[in-house]
Amino acid sequence: MAPTPPRVFEGRMEAFVVSMGVVALGKMGDNTQLLAVLLAVKIRRPMLIADVPAVFLGDKIAQKVSTTLVHGTAAAAFAVLGVLMLFNVGRLF
């Protein structure tokens, strides 16, 4: 009978590594992140240049739109989505 190989992570560290792995895989579902990773693998250069327009646009929007409006809009969208989920509206699509 062959000896069992030693475990790399045990106890709390194992739970931490597994949790981080699951979260990382869950985040990969975002299409833009997946596209950026695929392009980075294909081109073999960092995709930082693609982030530059988003940073400048975000800065311009942040100068013109109040934080209160952004928070209110996000809260309203969250509430609407919650009500739609409560009534199981997704089954209609």
Side-chain angles (χ1 to χ4, degrees):
M1 184 170 173
T4 58
R7 295 180 70 170
V8 178
F9 299 110
E10 297 210 15
R12 291 183 182 179
M13 190 63 177
E14 180 180 16
F16 175 74
V17 171
V18 170
S19 299
M20 291 296 291
V22 169
V23 170
L25 287 175
K27 293 288 185 183
M28 288 302 293
D30 183 9
N31 292 336
T32 55
Q33 184 178 7
L34 185 59
L35 179 62
V37 169
L38 291 174
L39 285 173
V41 168
K42 182 177 180 180
I43 297 173
R44 302 212 182 255
R45 279 182 274 162
M47 294 298 297
L48 296 176
I49 292 177
D51 294 334
V52 171
V55 170
F56 283 117
L57 183 63
D59 182 52
K60 294 295 180 193
I61 291 173
Q63 291 174 1
K64 296 184 186 294
V65 178
S66 73
T67 307
T68 306
L69 177 63
V70 173
H71 289 174
T73 304
F78 186 77
V80 167
L81 289 174
V83 169
L84 292 175
M85 286 180 64
L86 183 64
F87 291 111
N88 201 13
V89 175
R91 66 176 157 65
L92 298 175
F93 299 103

